[in-house]
């Protein structure tokens, strides 16, 4: 089951680019929380604490227990739904949390870990991965940290699809089962290029 991470936050009363810039200069990250039959409102989070949380997980869509200072309901179970990064230095610029209830189904993407050595690779094939995360539906308490996909049985030209994965109890895929997760491609040797003979079309003209 997924690890429920604990994170502190403050309810943010004001918004706007100026406020966001001031927060970032002070080592904070602006955010927002919505969903689960509640009002939407802004958040103010510690940047270093948030980075430690992100670095501790294989993906960014985490299940988080938020302790929100200044909020009417201080303890909130939420999914870290979206993380916006600075394109130049990778700093976290903004985060979105989707509040959830323990008794309601959620839809979230979970990292996929490929396990096993495909039969086709031992025959000269190449394992080509198509999917790194898979959207699933489940209750928050049944959310796995990672979905394991066994590729050991794949021969040359064979693919593992979303429907082929064995999901933990209570977890089901939220996308079509025909989507390819990984495939063993058969490598083909390149045909040698034929050199053009002198005097025939395509040959380089003689220097004058």
């Amino acid at each position: 089951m997924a690890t429920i991470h604990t994170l502190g936050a403050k309810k943010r009363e004001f918004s706007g680019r100026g406020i966001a810039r001031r927060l970032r200069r002070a080592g904070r990250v602006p955010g927002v929380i919505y969903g689960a039959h509640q009002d939407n409102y802004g958040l103010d989070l510690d940047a270093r604490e948030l980075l430690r949380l992100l670095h501790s997980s294989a993906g960014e869509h985490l299940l988080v227990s938020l302790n929100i200072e200044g909020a009417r309901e201080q303890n909130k179970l939420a999914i870290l739904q979206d993380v916006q990064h600075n394109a130049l230095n990778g700093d976290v610029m903004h985060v979105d949390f989707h509040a959830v209830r323990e008794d309601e189904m959620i839809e979230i993407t979970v990292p996929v870990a490929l396990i096993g050595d495909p039969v086709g690779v031992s025959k000269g094939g190449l394992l080509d991965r198509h999917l790194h995360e898979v959207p699933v539906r489940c209750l928050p308490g049944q959310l796995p940290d990672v979905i394991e996909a066994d590729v050991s049985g794949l021969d040359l030209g064979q693919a593992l699809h979303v429907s082929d994965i064995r999901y933990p109890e209570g977890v089901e895929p939220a996308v079509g089962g025909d989507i390819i997760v990984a495939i063993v491609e058969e490598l083909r040797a390149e045909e040698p290029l034929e050199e053009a003979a002198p005097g025939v079309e395509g040959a380089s003209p003689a220097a004058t």
Side-chain angles (χ1 to χ4, degrees), residues 153-184:
L154 296 183
D155 209 336
L156 292 172
Q158 292 185 337
L160 181 81
H161 299 83
V162 165
S163 59
D164 299 323
I165 296 176
R166 296 182 62 183
Y167 296 88
E169 183 178 355
V171 180
E172 60 184 34
V175 290
D178 58 343
I179 295 176
I180 292 177
V181 177
I183 186 171
V184 177

Side-chain angles (χ1 to χ4, degrees), residues 118-123 151-159 183-185:
V119 175
V121 171
S122 64
K123 298 179 181 179
V151 295
S152 58
L154 296 183
D155 209 336
L156 292 172
Q158 292 185 337
I183 186 171
V184 177
E185 301 281 5

Side-chain angles (χ1 to χ4, degrees), residues 14-56:
F14 304 101
S15 61
R17 293 184 178 180
I19 297 293
R21 284 195 294 267
R22 284 197 292 272
L23 285 174
R24 296 185 192 110
R25 284 198 296 268
R28 312 290 295 182
V29 175
V32 65
I33 185 168
Y34 52 84
H37 318 293
Q38 67 159 54
D39 294 334
N40 303 344
Y41 56 85
L43 296 175
D44 166 2
L45 305 104
D46 182 88
R48 287 178 297 180
E49 188 179 355
L50 182 59
L51 282 175
R52 280 197 297 268
L53 185 150
L54 292 174
H55 292 160
S56 69

Side-chain angles (χ1 to χ4, degrees), residues 106 109 115 179:
I106 59 174
T109 57
I115 60 173
I179 295 176

